[in-house]
Amino acid sequence: MIIGAARMQHLFRRIAGITVDKNDLKRISDLISDKLHDLLLMAERAAAANGRDVITEADLPLTAGFQRSLQAFRNLEEEIELRPVLERMATYPPLDRTLSAEVEAMLPDLAGALLLIMANSLKILDPEVENPLPEHWDRLELLLELTL
């Protein structure tokens, strides 16, 4: 898990008033991991295009909306541990470029911003949702594929 189960459940409740059950946790963790990996792949391309072997914060393809979500997550003053994020990222094929210390330190906040985006998106997709059903997750996954 990229984020601990209790922490993930707490954050979904705090951000959007959504209760996620144990069956949802793996799917959420997989979505966050996949999207975080996608961000790093695009950052790697930017670093390569600029002739650098190190991925810097400037390489991360963070839209204005993503940056607002990142700041909103930081404003929550919730912490996500770095170790599980690094362990999860290690399950993907290795990047050809090295992460700067700054980018590595950002990984938990990036994961938190993705969780915040997911929780808020679920509420946009269905303002009445309290306990997401499989079809909510399916729609969210499609939305994330189109936007992130």
Side-chain angles (χ1 to χ4, degrees), residues 103-117:
V103 170
E104 186 173 296
M106 287 179 69
L107 292 176
D109 285 348
L110 293 170
L114 287 165
L115 185 143
L116 184 137
I117 289 166

Side-chain angles (χ1 to χ4, degrees), residues 22 31 35 52 76 83 98 109 111 130 142:
K22 294 199 186 288
L31 281 170
K35 292 298 145 196
R52 287 192 281 40
L76 292 174
R83 184 187 47 77
T98 304
D109 285 348
E130 291 178 11
L142 287 171

Side-chain angles (χ1 to χ4, degrees), residues 20-80:
V20 293
D21 61 33
K22 294 199 186 288
N23 297 327
D24 299 327
L25 297 178
K26 181 181 180 340
R27 190 167 191 175
I28 295 166
S29 186
D30 289 347
L31 281 170
I32 291 171
S33 300
D34 289 348
K35 292 298 145 196
L36 185 55
H37 184 253
D38 288 349
L39 283 173
L40 295 177
L41 286 175
M42 294 297 98
E44 180 178 55
R45 289 181 67 191
N50 290 310
R52 287 192 281 40
D53 291 332
V54 177
I55 297 169
T56 66
E57 182 178 356
D59 297 317
L60 294 169
L62 304 181
T63 64
F66 194 104
Q67 289 177 13
R68 283 190 295 274
S69 294
L70 182 60
Q71 189 57 52
F73 178 75
R74 288 175 173 158
N75 290 344
L76 292 174
E77 297 182 357
E78 296 277 355
E79 288 194 28
I80 293 174

Side-chain angles (χ1 to χ4, degrees), residues 13 16-17 22 37 44 60 71 75 91 108-109 121 123 126 129 135 146:
R13 270 192 309 278
K22 294 199 186 288
H37 184 253
E44 180 178 55
L60 294 169
Q71 189 57 52
N75 290 344
T91 66
D109 285 348
S121 295
K123 275 298 191 182
D126 182 353
V129 69
E135 53 265 24
L146 292 171

